[in-house]
Each structure stands twice: as C-alpha cells, then as structure tokens.
Amino acid sequence: MSKLLIFLVRVYQKFISPIFPPTCRYYPSCSSYMIDSLRKHGPLKGLIMGIARIIRCNPFVRGGVDPVPDHFTLRRNPHPENYEDPIIAKKFHSK
C-alpha cells in the first residue's frame, strides 16, 4: 500500500506540481514529507502525518524546517536540528 501511495505522490511531483508555482512553506516540501512519512511510519500513519503537514502548510504559518519525526505525531517536528540533511546540518551547526 505504501508503494502505491508513494507512486501517486511521485506522479503528482512529476506532472502536476510543475504546473503551479512553488508555494510550500516548509523544507522538505510537503510531497517529499509525505513520501518520507510513508516510508518511515507505514501507509496509515504516514498518510495521516502527510495530510496533517499539508493542512499546516498555509499562508498563516511561517514555515521553515520540518522533517518527519521518528515518532508518530501530527505536530511540527520540535527538533529539526536532528535532521540528517547536509543543508540543514550546515544551517544549525555552523553557529
């Protein structure tokens, strides 16, 4: 089931997303977050987390770094500095 959902998100990323201007307020993007959450938490919890993230991505929030947390939650990741991404690591650890 996760593979099917990931496939659908990839179709969105390749064919639908390029039609619109980039509007995601978070890093990684909402579609990448959905894929990561599906891989990390499975189809049910991953889908719920991905939908919650899409709902959080609106004009009334500042956005920023919000990687998929290790534990299931519908809230923003409180510790983005633990995210293993070279761009984020540079941002948080260069201080």
Side-chain angles (χ1 to χ4, degrees):
M1 186 67 169
S2 288
K3 288 183 180 183
L4 174 64
L5 294 170
I6 290 171
F7 172 75
L8 293 173
V9 174
R10 294 267 187 222
V11 168
Y12 164 80
Q13 287 177 328
K14 185 166 178 105
F15 297 108
I16 299 171
S17 181
I19 296 171
F20 301 101
T23 57
C24 190
R25 299 177 177 278
Y26 289 106
Y27 179 86
S29 69
C30 292
S31 58
S32 295
Y33 184 96
M34 178 72 83
I35 291 172
D36 292 346
S37 68
L38 289 167
R39 287 183 178 152
K40 192 177 260 189
H41 297 287
L44 182 61
K45 289 182 180 179
L47 184 63
I48 292 169
M49 288 178 73
I51 291 170
R53 166 67 177 283
I54 292 168
I55 292 169
R56 284 196 314 266
C57 189
N58 63 67
F60 303 107
V61 296
R62 186 174 50 131
V65 177
D66 182 31
V68 177
D70 292 330
H71 303 288
F72 176 77
T73 181
L74 299 179
R75 296 181 175 212
R76 186 175 173 167
N77 190 338
H79 299 290
E81 67 274 5
N82 295 336
Y83 192 55
E84 295 180 13
D85 183 283
I87 296 170
I88 297 171
K90 183 179 178 185
K91 178 177 172 36
F92 282 101
H93 300 297
S94 64
K95 295 177 182 178

